[in-house]
Amino acid sequence: MRTPRPGNAGPQDGGVGETGPSDAGLRDPGLQPERTRLAWQRTTLACTVVAVLAGRQAVHEGFTAPRLATVTLSALLWLGFLAVAHRRIKALTAARPVPLARRAAVAAAACAVALACIALAAAL
């Protein structure tokens, strides 16, 4: 059993336990922001690999109009995802990061799904 800090009464004494009113403004985020930042970085890396492989395939198999369109689309989707991810990673450095906006979440998900579809179509 943990003992309450000095100055705070424990729950058995009718107090609030380990955290008191003086701790209300403090936040201990733990490792959650770091895990979230790493997840954004991993997803950005995966999107980068898809975009690079689309370009590589177009170079090795020759430039045709559909391949050029695919490379251009994958590059634009990658840049869009990169912009959203960079903003989010930057926002996670704050003491109290703001939640991801719905519009940014939809944009990131749409870019990731579209890049996955491009990768799947290129593999077939």
Side-chain angles (χ1 to χ4, degrees):
M1 181 173 159
R2 299 170 91 181
T3 58
R5 288 182 292 184
N8 288 339
Q12 67 277 10
D13 299 326
V16 292
E18 289 191 32
T19 59
S22 63
D23 294 337
L26 299 177
R27 177 176 182 263
D28 180 20
L31 295 176
Q32 181 187 6
E34 182 179 358
R35 286 191 309 265
T36 305
R37 189 171 33 257
L38 289 171
W40 276 102
Q41 289 173 344
R42 282 190 308 268
T43 308
T44 302
L45 179 62
C47 290
T48 303
V49 168
V50 170
V52 167
L53 289 178
R56 181 179 178 260
Q57 184 177 9
V59 168
H60 283 289
E61 295 181 10
F63 283 106
T64 62
R67 286 191 186 122
L68 189 59
T70 301
V71 170
T72 303
L73 180 62
S74 65
L76 290 174
L77 289 168
W78 174 74
L79 287 173
F81 186 84
L82 192 64
V84 173
H86 178 72
R87 284 189 196 127
R88 188 61 193 156
I89 290 169
K90 199 171 168 184
L92 288 171
T93 61
R96 284 196 175 268
V98 295
L100 182 63
R102 182 179 301 229
R103 185 175 172 187
V106 169
C111 288
V113 169
L115 280 168
C117 291
I118 288 172
L120 185 60
L124 298 176

